[in-house]
Amino acid sequence: QVQLVESGGGMVQPGGSLRLSCVTSGFTFAFYGMAWVRQAPGKGPEWVSQIDTRGGTYYADSVKGRFTISRDNAKNTVYLQMNSLKPEDTALYYCARAIRLETVYDDDYDGGTQVTVSS
């Protein structure tokens, strides 16, 4: 059974930083690209970032230069370092396995972790 457990969210002031983690199980982590997706209240899911099996990274224009995705295959974990946070980054953040660039397995959506950027 595929499981993805996100953590690290919270409330932070504009300009602050957070580091999200996603611990996975139930599949061979090293064989999958992994992505972060976010959903703000009243909006649809937005692809944020992705890392492929070789460590290649990809970012939405809205977060490029501020967010960094990484993975630790030994820990079956993917991370998202978020710096210079803005109010528009407020959303529920999910990790998911990637099917291809900017496309993830819908069934991987689970609890997520809430990020709130506010003064």
Side-chain angles (χ1 to χ4, degrees), residues 4 13 19 48 67 76 114:
L4 304 101
Q13 293 186 341
R19 188 192 194 207
V48 173
F67 291 10
N76 294 337
Q114 179 67 39

Short mmCIF file of all heavy atoms in Angstrom, two decimals, residues 4 13 19 48 67 76 114:
data_model
loop_
_atom_site.label_atom_id
_atom_site.label_comp_id
_atom_site.label_asym_id
_atom_site.label_seq_id
_atom_site.Cartn_x
_atom_site.Cartn_y
_atom_site.Cartn_z
N LEU A 4 2.25 8.16 1.77
CA LEU A 4 3.09 9.35 1.73
C LEU A 4 2.64 10.24 2.88
O LEU A 4 1.47 10.62 2.94
CB LEU A 4 2.94 10.09 0.40
CG LEU A 4 3.23 9.26 -0.85
CD1 LEU A 4 1.93 8.81 -1.50
CD2 LEU A 4 4.04 10.05 -1.86
N GLN A 13 5.90 34.19 8.77
CA GLN A 13 5.75 35.54 8.24
C GLN A 13 6.33 35.63 6.83
O GLN A 13 7.20 34.83 6.46
CB GLN A 13 6.46 36.54 9.15
CG GLN A 13 5.82 36.70 10.52
CD GLN A 13 6.46 37.80 11.33
OE1 GLN A 13 7.57 38.22 11.07
NE2 GLN A 13 5.75 38.26 12.35
N ARG A 19 10.76 23.98 5.81
CA ARG A 19 11.24 22.80 5.11
C ARG A 19 10.20 21.69 5.26
O ARG A 19 9.94 21.24 6.37
CB ARG A 19 12.57 22.32 5.66
CG ARG A 19 13.21 21.20 4.83
CD ARG A 19 14.35 20.56 5.57
NE ARG A 19 15.17 19.72 4.68
CZ ARG A 19 15.88 18.68 5.11
NH1 ARG A 19 15.87 18.36 6.39
NH2 ARG A 19 16.60 17.98 4.25
N VAL A 48 4.14 22.29 -8.19
CA VAL A 48 5.13 23.21 -7.63
C VAL A 48 6.55 22.85 -8.07
O VAL A 48 7.30 23.70 -8.54
CB VAL A 48 5.06 23.22 -6.10
CG1 VAL A 48 6.19 24.04 -5.49
CG2 VAL A 48 3.71 23.74 -5.63
N PHE A 67 12.41 28.04 -3.91
CA PHE A 67 12.20 26.68 -3.40
C PHE A 67 13.27 25.75 -3.95
O PHE A 67 13.73 25.91 -5.08
CB PHE A 67 10.82 26.15 -3.82
CG PHE A 67 9.65 26.82 -3.17
CD1 PHE A 67 9.77 27.98 -2.41
CD2 PHE A 67 8.37 26.27 -3.32
CE1 PHE A 67 8.67 28.57 -1.82
CE2 PHE A 67 7.26 26.85 -2.74
CZ PHE A 67 7.42 28.01 -1.99
N ASN A 76 13.85 7.11 1.80
CA ASN A 76 12.56 7.12 1.09
C ASN A 76 11.81 8.43 1.32
O ASN A 76 10.58 8.43 1.52
CB ASN A 76 11.68 5.93 1.52
CG ASN A 76 12.27 4.60 1.11
OD1 ASN A 76 13.06 4.51 0.19
ND2 ASN A 76 11.88 3.55 1.82
N GLN A 114 -0.17 21.90 5.88
CA GLN A 114 -0.64 23.26 5.63
C GLN A 114 0.49 24.27 5.82
O GLN A 114 1.20 24.23 6.83
CB GLN A 114 -1.79 23.61 6.57
CG GLN A 114 -2.31 25.01 6.43
CD GLN A 114 -3.00 25.26 5.09
OE1 GLN A 114 -3.71 24.38 4.58
NE2 GLN A 114 -2.78 26.44 4.52
#
